[in-house]
Amino acid sequence: MMRTLLVARSFGITLVLTAAATAYCALWPGSGVVVEIWFGHPPRGANSYELAAVLLSIALPLVSLNSLGLAEHDAIGEARVPLLAHSVVLLVLPLVPFVAFYARVRLDGSATDLPHPAGMLATLLVYSAVAAILIRLLGPLFGGAAVLVLYVGVVLAQHYFGSSWLGGVVSTSLDWQTNPALLLVVMVGALTVNARTRGTLGRRLLIHAGNR
């Protein structure tokens, strides 16, 4: 019963966070941050959907892995299939705000200069998968911090080296192209780490959650 309540609570929080981020991107699609620290280098824009995706990639695993880890720890065979499906859903949910953003700008006619959405979605999926890996391996505090440091580092590097190969690895606001090999590696890595760790954040967290 306690586990059912934990799962239901985490599911509700997940929906609320995703809905809030989606509404933000739909209502204020032009909001975001423009990084322009080094004069003479192209500015690097971090739009609302990109920020929302990165933050959701950190928040959603932290909300759900605690309670779902309990169920997955005891599950065997076919009982683990829904839990694996949940892991895939967690990877995809951070992309939902972008869908709302893109639909909004298409409706109001301001999407004429946007590249194909596939490249944009691929980059957000890369961040989501990397976040899943780091949070499961390093834990909630260090994993979440590592994702933020990585994202800020990529943004600063792409601003300073705007015309370098970095634009072809993970996309920028100037050239939305994401390396498909990188996407494949991090996606396989995220699902593999989830399977090896059974979707948990470590044995100590399991014991703590089970005793609540």
Side-chain angles (χ1 to χ4, degrees), residues 21-22 24-25 47-58 94 97-98:
T22 302
Y24 166 65
C25 292
N47 210 306
S48 58
Y49 57 84
E50 188 176 358
L51 297 173
V54 172
L55 293 177
L56 282 179
S57 296
I58 298 172
F98 169 78

Side-chain angles (χ1 to χ4, degrees), residues 192-203:
T192 301
V193 168
N194 176 77
R196 297 287 294 179
T197 60
R198 294 193 170 189
T200 72
L201 295 176
R203 180 64 181 168

Side-chain angles (χ1 to χ4, degrees), residues 2 53 64 119 162:
M2 180 61 68
S64 63

Side-chain angles (χ1 to χ4, degrees), residues 14-33:
T14 296
L15 288 181
V16 169
L17 291 176
T18 304
T22 302
Y24 166 65
C25 292
L27 295 174
W28 297 283
S31 62
V33 178

Side-chain angles (χ1 to χ4, degrees), residues 75-169:
I76 58 174
E78 295 181 359
R80 297 189 62 191
V81 173
L83 300 169
L84 175 61
H86 176 267
S87 299
V88 175
V89 170
L90 280 187
L91 290 175
V92 175
L93 276 181
L95 279 60
V96 174
F98 169 78
V99 176
F101 159 84
Y102 197 80
R104 169 65 189 275
V105 296
R106 291 286 293 181
L107 286 174
D108 63 24
S110 59
T112 55
D113 58 342
L114 284 179
H116 196 280
M120 306 169 82
L121 285 169
T123 287
L124 304 182
L125 197 53
V126 166
Y127 283 119
S128 182
V130 168
I133 294 171
L134 292 178
I135 289 173
R136 284 180 175 89
L137 293 182
L138 302 180
L141 178 61
F142 293 108
V147 175
L148 286 178
V149 170
L150 176 64
Y151 175 66
V152 172
V154 169
V155 169
L156 292 176
Q158 290 180 335
H159 165 44
Y160 190 79
F161 304 103
S163 59
S164 73
W165 58 272
L166 283 170
V169 178

